[in-house]
């Protein structure tokens, strides 16, 4: 039997779960603002896994993923401890915004400072109160407004544990992504905490495929870490690691007509879409500069010159990557919402 788990002075006994509201700050109305989280503490020792979402306050898929994972975890069968924070950036969440009220990106403010800007203080609070208790992290994200991402994992794969987490998640694509200064991943790296980042869908939307894949992926990682019992099921797909990825940008202003979609295999020189001006029959083609898989794309047809339109990931075996994406879509077997 493991010892009780303590966070922010609150003790959680083995085999119990507890919901906490950690005091973060006050709004300018003097109303208190809290960060909600749930702790599930298993009866037996194991990792302390943090799953968190909405570091960008308008990225909603991760919030539902956290809730669905919590509904599937039984504390009596859990080894280790699960810390679930569905909304990190509560300021942005309230305002349906990616950013904090001071227009800072919270995921560029880590590790933060107790006496710095609002973003710096929120980041410091999260690291000091929550991250400092963790041994592993899964950070949940979506694309920006009007920009959708194919479900994918981003991680620094030179760490064996991180690589194992990334591969066991079961997303169709993994990007060996460099770490950006000021991000949660940078803090985890500095503390030798393995962390993977899940990207899927777009901001301000619930997308069933992204949510189902994220929920399944977290449970897969928990099994790999020994927190949950393994299940007997069909073999996982051989997740493909992209050797590089690049955004293709619009070369003129106008209306975008997509010919390629998320998950499509494209060839170098292929026309991925056209851009036209209102009341004009002239078209400007968007051409793929290399072969690969579309892992991100714009979802709004209005573009300015320089806007990111398609995100293409390159693979040593593009055909195998395409087959992985097709198998992934078949396994999800979810129709898009009707609204």
């Amino acid at each position: 039997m493991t010892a009780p788990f303590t966070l922010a002075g609150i003790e959680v006994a083995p085999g119990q779960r507890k919901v906490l509201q950690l005091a973060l700050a006050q709004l300018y109305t003097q109303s208190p603002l809290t960060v909600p989280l749930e702790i599930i503490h298993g009866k037996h020792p194991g990792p302390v896994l943090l799953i968190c979402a909405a570091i960008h306050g308008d990225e909603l898929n991760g919030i539902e993923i956290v809730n669905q994972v919590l509904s599937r975890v039984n504390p009596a069968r859990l080894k280790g401890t699960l810390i679930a924070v569905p909304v990190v950036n509560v300021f942005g969440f309230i305002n349906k915004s990616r950013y904090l009220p001071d227009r800072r990106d919270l995921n560029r403010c880590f590790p933060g400072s107790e006496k710095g800007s609002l973003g710096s203080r929120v980041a410091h609070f999260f690291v000091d109160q929550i991250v400092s208790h963790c041994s592993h992290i899964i950070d949940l994200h979506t694309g920006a407004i009007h920009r959708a991402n194919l479900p994918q994992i981003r991680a620094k794969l030179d760490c064996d544990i991180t690589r194992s987490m990334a591969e066991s998640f079961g997303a169709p694509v993994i990007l060996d992504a460099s770490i950006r200064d000021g991000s949660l991943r940078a803090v985890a790296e500095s503390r030798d905490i393995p962390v993977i980042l899940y990207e899927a869908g777009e901001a301000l939307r619930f997308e069933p495929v992204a949510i189902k894949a994220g929920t399944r992926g977290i449970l897969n990682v928990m099994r790999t870490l020994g927190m949950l019992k393994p299940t007997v099921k069909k073999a996982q797909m051989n997740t493909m690691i992209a050797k590089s990825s690049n955004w293709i940008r619009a070369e003129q202003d106008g209306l975008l007509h997509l010919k390629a979609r998320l998950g499509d295999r494209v060839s170098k020189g292929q026309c991925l879409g056209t851009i036209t001006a209102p009341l004009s029959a002239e078209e400007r083609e968007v051409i793929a500069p290399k072969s690969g898989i579309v892992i991100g794309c714009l979802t709004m047809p209005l573009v300015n010159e320089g806007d990111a339109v398609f995100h293409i990931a390159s693979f040593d075996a593009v055909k195998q990557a395409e087959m992985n994406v097709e198998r992934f879509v078949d396994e999800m077997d979810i129709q898009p919402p009707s609204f």
Side-chain angles (χ1 to χ4, degrees), residues 1-3 14-15 42-45:
M1 184 76 74
T2 189
K43 288 186 175 182
H44 302 283

Side-chain angles (χ1 to χ4, degrees), residues 265-286:
R265 175 190 176 190
V266 298
S267 302
K268 182 178 180 179
Q270 179 178 334
C271 176
L272 307 181
T274 59
I275 300 174
T276 61
L279 304 178
S280 173
E282 293 184 8
E283 294 183 342
R284 182 72 172 265
E285 292 186 336
V286 181

